[in-house]
Amino acid sequence: MKQIRHLGAYGLILNEDKIVLIKKANGPYKNKLDLPGGTIEFGETPEQTLIRELQEEVGVDVTKYTLFDANSVTIEWEHKGELQQIHHQGVFYKVESYNNEIKNHMELDENNDDSLGAEFYDINQLTRSKLSEIAIVEIEKFGYKLR
């Protein structure tokens, strides 16, 4: 089985018991809800990635953030007929302030290849089966118990 490492930076935008999640269009989390963020590109810092990815996937300009966590999960998925094991590593930031409105519909293009849009979701109504594995880990770090 092919093994792949993926390193990304992600934003946690919370408002009381609500969290911003994106609807995934592609990749191992396709059709699930996930934290906004993505791959740290060559030469980028995790902070630069956070700012770029939240603009691309959510439409917001991050103005203040703090480091929350670094963590990982290992998942399996089938890609082009081949079973792959992915070690998904992330650096997670709590986004404290941002400009612009969250876009609940996004077009896929060369800058945004996997977010169909974002919105606030009531954490108490979320189920594990609808979330990416990495989102489950981080939401539970805030003390929520997902069904």
Side-chain angles (χ1 to χ4, degrees):
M1 178 182 324
K2 187 174 183 179
Q3 294 181 327
I4 297 171
R5 289 177 189 87
H6 174 77
L7 175 61
Y10 302 88
L12 297 148
I13 302 174
L14 295 138
N15 184 355
E16 297 182 12
D17 284 344
K18 296 184 188 290
I19 187 168
V20 171
L21 298 170
I22 63 168
K23 297 167 226 139
K24 294 291 279 191
N26 296 304
Y29 300 138
K30 183 177 181 177
N31 297 323
K32 291 195 174 198
L33 298 173
D34 193 21
L35 298 169
T39 303
I40 299 172
E41 294 181 356
F42 183 82
E44 266 187 334
T45 65
E47 293 86 0
Q48 290 168 327
T49 301
L50 172 75
I51 291 165
R52 176 182 54 77
E53 286 283 347
L54 268 69
Q55 175 51 238
E56 292 172 2
E57 294 187 349
V58 182
V60 299
D61 294 320
V62 175
T63 56
K64 187 175 180 188
Y65 55 87
T66 56
L67 179 63
F68 175 70
D69 191 27
N71 214 327
S72 69
V73 296
T74 302
I75 61 169
E76 290 182 2
W77 80 303
E78 189 174 320
H79 180 62
K80 298 180 181 177
E82 179 184 18
L83 190 59
Q84 298 181 349
Q85 192 174 42
I86 299 175
H87 184 203
H88 187 179
Q89 306 161 18
V91 180
F92 302 91
Y93 295 89
K94 186 171 180 190
V95 176
E96 297 171 12
S97 65
Y98 57 88
N99 294 323
N100 302 332
E101 294 294 318
I102 291 168
K103 292 186 179 178
N104 59 14
H105 177 75
M106 299 287 287
E107 295 294 327
L108 299 179
D109 60 26
E110 66 278 353
N111 291 323
N112 171 37
D113 64 356
D114 68 352
S115 173
L116 296 174
E119 61 184 89
F120 276 100
Y121 289 86
D122 184 334
I123 297 171
N124 297 306
Q125 300 301 315
L126 293 172
T127 59
R128 296 171 75 88
S129 63
K130 294 187 190 244
L131 294 165
S132 70
E133 286 80 351
I134 202 87
I136 292 168
V137 169
E138 292 307 307
I139 290 169
E140 289 185 340
K141 284 238 175 174
F142 275 101
Y144 290 96
K145 298 292 181 200
L146 297 167
R147 318 182 258 130

